[in-house]
Structures are given as structure tokens and as C-alpha cells.
Amino acid sequence: MTRPRLTQQERTERTRELLLDATVDCLVELGYAKTSTNEICRRAGVSRGAQQHHFATKAELMADAIEHLVSKLLASMSEHPPSSLPGPDRVAMGIDMLWQGYSGSLSTAVMELWVAARTDPELRAAMHPIDKGLARRTSELFREMLGDGVTLDQPDVPLWLTVNLIRGLALDAMLGGDPVRRDQLLQEWKTIAVKTYGV
């Protein structure tokens, strides 16, 4: 049975997805310094010309790859929203979901780019709107997790306490820190958050 031919738009979207996935893989496995557009194209199975057609600069490709990864992670988290759970369970599960989503490939890739962006104005300019969008979408997701039953004077406080703890724990993992200690710290924060914000 012959497969239906892809439309031009489908081929374009497929090529972009291959390039973006390959970029994330390179950032995680090789780090920013060793991630070249040639290696990205090799892994994606596309030509340099095709890459340049979709992404004019390396900075644009890097930033769009983070946005692509964020979209996939948020879509995955949205498939199992904890908002229907009782308050304490909802808060604990929300923290678990943020840890699972932001402590893996996303944390590694973003860390690589933000360190590089410190001395690369073009990359910093490309990353800035992506970072702001990530903050906005994460805030929206966390509010959905808390649900209407949880009312806070400052609803973003538990979110950013959680996000900044996760960033620190993720960096600790990258540096070879003690996994038992990381788990203890995360569990302690969940206990505090449930007591403070769970209803």
C-alpha cells in the first residue's frame, strides 16, 4: 500500500522538527561549545542549505529549539492535569511534574545556552523572548495545577520558589551531587508547600 505523499507544509514542518530535535540532542550530549550546525544537520539528515532556509542564524536555531522542547514538555504535562485532585495532592503532584519536566533535557539545554548567552549578544537577544515565554507558560500551567480552590495573595510565589529550587537541584545533578540529598530536599519542599498552600 502506497503511503500518501506529504504536502509541502508537512515536509517543511517535518524538516524543522528534525533540526530542532537534533539541536536539543547536541546541546545535551555535546554542550554548546561543541554543537555545530554541521553536526546538527548530520544528525537531522538534512542539508546545510535546508537548515539555513529555516533558520538564518545559529542563535535563532538554538532559541527555537528550546521553545520547541518547552512546547513538547508542557503538552505532556497538560495531558495529566492534577487540578481535579484534593489541594494537598494537587500541590505535591504539581511540584513533581515541574521537577520531572524541568530537571532533564530542558534544564541541561537551557543552562548551556544561558551560560553561552552571557558573552554572546546575538544569542542573548534570541533567548530573551523565549525565556519570557517560558516563564509565562509555566505560570499559567502552575495556576491550572493549583486550581480554583487554592487562592493566594501572591500566586506566583510557590511557582518561583519551586522553579528556582529545581534549577539549583538540576545544576547539582549536572555537577555530580548526591541524588539522595536532592530527593530529600525536594521532599522537604513538598512537605512545606503542602502545609502552606494545600487546602
Side-chain angles (χ1 to χ4, degrees), residues 57-69:
T57 66
K58 181 180 178 181
E60 180 186 349
L61 174 56
M62 296 289 150
D64 280 14
I66 297 301
E67 185 173 35
H68 171 67
L69 179 56

PDB file of all heavy atoms in Angstrom, residues 57-69:
ATOM      1  N   THR A  57      20.255  32.022  11.436  1.00  0.00           N
ATOM      2  CA  THR A  57      21.459  32.060  12.267  1.00  0.00           C
ATOM      3  C   THR A  57      21.458  30.895  13.258  1.00  0.00           C
ATOM      4  O   THR A  57      20.406  30.307  13.554  1.00  0.00           O
ATOM      5  CB  THR A  57      21.540  33.374  13.077  1.00  0.00           C
ATOM      6  OG1 THR A  57      20.461  33.412  14.028  1.00  0.00           O
ATOM      7  CG2 THR A  57      21.451  34.584  12.160  1.00  0.00           C
ATOM      8  N   LYS A  58      22.627  30.594  13.765  1.00  0.00           N
ATOM      9  CA  LYS A  58      22.748  29.547  14.784  1.00  0.00           C
ATOM     10  C   LYS A  58      21.984  29.941  16.042  1.00  0.00           C
ATOM     11  O   LYS A  58      21.322  29.107  16.674  1.00  0.00           O
ATOM     12  CB  LYS A  58      24.222  29.306  15.120  1.00  0.00           C
ATOM     13  CG  LYS A  58      24.438  28.213  16.165  1.00  0.00           C
ATOM     14  CD  LYS A  58      25.921  28.015  16.470  1.00  0.00           C
ATOM     15  CE  LYS A  58      26.130  26.954  17.552  1.00  0.00           C
ATOM     16  NZ  LYS A  58      27.563  26.761  17.874  1.00  0.00           N
ATOM     17  N   ALA A  59      22.040  31.234  16.411  1.00  0.00           N
ATOM     18  CA  ALA A  59      21.337  31.706  17.602  1.00  0.00           C
ATOM     19  C   ALA A  59      19.832  31.479  17.475  1.00  0.00           C
ATOM     20  O   ALA A  59      19.167  31.062  18.432  1.00  0.00           O
ATOM     21  CB  ALA A  59      21.635  33.189  17.834  1.00  0.00           C
ATOM     22  N   GLU A  60      19.287  31.761  16.299  1.00  0.00           N
ATOM     23  CA  GLU A  60      17.853  31.557  16.066  1.00  0.00           C
ATOM     24  C   GLU A  60      17.493  30.077  16.201  1.00  0.00           C
ATOM     25  O   GLU A  60      16.479  29.719  16.812  1.00  0.00           O
ATOM     26  CB  GLU A  60      17.477  32.053  14.674  1.00  0.00           C
ATOM     27  CG  GLU A  60      15.999  31.878  14.344  1.00  0.00           C
ATOM     28  CD  GLU A  60      15.674  32.252  12.904  1.00  0.00           C
ATOM     29  OE1 GLU A  60      16.539  32.845  12.219  1.00  0.00           O
ATOM     30  OE2 GLU A  60      14.555  31.931  12.452  1.00  0.00           O
ATOM     31  N   LEU A  61      18.329  29.208  15.649  1.00  0.00           N
ATOM     32  CA  LEU A  61      18.096  27.768  15.736  1.00  0.00           C
ATOM     33  C   LEU A  61      18.127  27.304  17.190  1.00  0.00           C
ATOM     34  O   LEU A  61      17.273  26.521  17.629  1.00  0.00           O
ATOM     35  CB  LEU A  61      19.150  27.026  14.915  1.00  0.00           C
ATOM     36  CG  LEU A  61      19.158  25.496  14.992  1.00  0.00           C
ATOM     37  CD1 LEU A  61      17.808  24.909  14.607  1.00  0.00           C
ATOM     38  CD2 LEU A  61      20.265  24.934  14.086  1.00  0.00           C
ATOM     39  N   MET A  62      19.103  27.780  17.961  1.00  0.00           N
ATOM     40  CA  MET A  62      19.231  27.385  19.365  1.00  0.00           C
ATOM     41  C   MET A  62      18.001  27.810  20.171  1.00  0.00           C
ATOM     42  O   MET A  62      17.425  27.025  20.935  1.00  0.00           O
ATOM     43  CB  MET A  62      20.482  28.024  19.982  1.00  0.00           C
ATOM     44  CG  MET A  62      21.784  27.569  19.385  1.00  0.00           C
ATOM     45  SD  MET A  62      22.183  25.867  19.827  1.00  0.00           S
ATOM     46  CE  MET A  62      23.116  25.366  18.397  1.00  0.00           C
ATOM     47  N   ALA A  63      17.606  29.064  20.007  1.00  0.00           N
ATOM     48  CA  ALA A  63      16.468  29.579  20.771  1.00  0.00           C
ATOM     49  C   ALA A  63      15.174  28.858  20.389  1.00  0.00           C
ATOM     50  O   ALA A  63      14.365  28.495  21.257  1.00  0.00           O
ATOM     51  CB  ALA A  63      16.328  31.084  20.539  1.00  0.00           C
ATOM     52  N   ASP A  64      14.977  28.628  19.110  1.00  0.00           N
ATOM     53  CA  ASP A  64      13.763  27.938  18.663  1.00  0.00           C
ATOM     54  C   ASP A  64      13.738  26.488  19.141  1.00  0.00           C
ATOM     55  O   ASP A  64      12.665  25.923  19.385  1.00  0.00           O
ATOM     56  CB  ASP A  64      13.652  27.988  17.136  1.00  0.00           C
ATOM     57  CG  ASP A  64      13.122  29.315  16.635  1.00  0.00           C
ATOM     58  OD1 ASP A  64      13.088  30.274  17.436  1.00  0.00           O
ATOM     59  OD2 ASP A  64      12.747  29.418  15.455  1.00  0.00           O
ATOM     60  N   ALA A  65      14.918  25.886  19.292  1.00  0.00           N
ATOM     61  CA  ALA A  65      14.981  24.509  19.787  1.00  0.00           C
ATOM     62  C   ALA A  65      14.492  24.438  21.230  1.00  0.00           C
ATOM     63  O   ALA A  65      13.785  23.492  21.613  1.00  0.00           O
ATOM     64  CB  ALA A  65      16.410  23.978  19.691  1.00  0.00           C
ATOM     65  N   ILE A  66      14.837  25.441  22.040  1.00  0.00           N
ATOM     66  CA  ILE A  66      14.361  25.484  23.423  1.00  0.00           C
ATOM     67  C   ILE A  66      12.852  25.668  23.449  1.00  0.00           C
ATOM     68  O   ILE A  66      12.138  24.995  24.206  1.00  0.00           O
ATOM     69  CB  ILE A  66      15.055  26.620  24.201  1.00  0.00           C
ATOM     70  CG1 ILE A  66      16.560  26.365  24.282  1.00  0.00           C
ATOM     71  CG2 ILE A  66      14.451  26.753  25.601  1.00  0.00           C
ATOM     72  CD1 ILE A  66      16.935  25.064  24.959  1.00  0.00           C
ATOM     73  N   GLU A  67      12.349  26.554  22.620  1.00  0.00           N
ATOM     74  CA  GLU A  67      10.895  26.767  22.565  1.00  0.00           C
ATOM     75  C   GLU A  67      10.181  25.485  22.140  1.00  0.00           C
ATOM     76  O   GLU A  67       9.121  25.141  22.668  1.00  0.00           O
ATOM     77  CB  GLU A  67      10.575  27.898  21.597  1.00  0.00           C
ATOM     78  CG  GLU A  67       9.099  28.277  21.577  1.00  0.00           C
ATOM     79  CD  GLU A  67       8.817  29.514  20.749  1.00  0.00           C
ATOM     80  OE1 GLU A  67       9.500  29.690  19.715  1.00  0.00           O
ATOM     81  OE2 GLU A  67       7.929  30.283  21.117  1.00  0.00           O
ATOM     82  N   HIS A  68      10.760  24.770  21.193  1.00  0.00           N
ATOM     83  CA  HIS A  68      10.214  23.500  20.716  1.00  0.00           C
ATOM     84  C   HIS A  68      10.163  22.478  21.854  1.00  0.00           C
ATOM     85  O   HIS A  68       9.143  21.806  22.053  1.00  0.00           O
ATOM     86  CB  HIS A  68      11.103  22.996  19.575  1.00  0.00           C
ATOM     87  CG  HIS A  68      10.826  21.607  19.103  1.00  0.00           C
ATOM     88  ND1 HIS A  68       9.660  21.256  18.452  1.00  0.00           N
ATOM     89  CD2 HIS A  68      11.580  20.468  19.178  1.00  0.00           C
ATOM     90  CE1 HIS A  68       9.697  19.954  18.152  1.00  0.00           C
ATOM     91  NE2 HIS A  68      10.840  19.466  18.588  1.00  0.00           N
ATOM     92  N   LEU A  69      11.247  22.388  22.620  1.00  0.00           N
ATOM     93  CA  LEU A  69      11.298  21.440  23.729  1.00  0.00           C
ATOM     94  C   LEU A  69      10.299  21.822  24.815  1.00  0.00           C
ATOM     95  O   LEU A  69       9.613  20.961  25.374  1.00  0.00           O
ATOM     96  CB  LEU A  69      12.719  21.396  24.303  1.00  0.00           C
ATOM     97  CG  LEU A  69      12.951  20.466  25.502  1.00  0.00           C
ATOM     98  CD1 LEU A  69      12.543  19.032  25.185  1.00  0.00           C
ATOM     99  CD2 LEU A  69      14.418  20.520  25.932  1.00  0.00           C
TER     100      LEU A  69
END
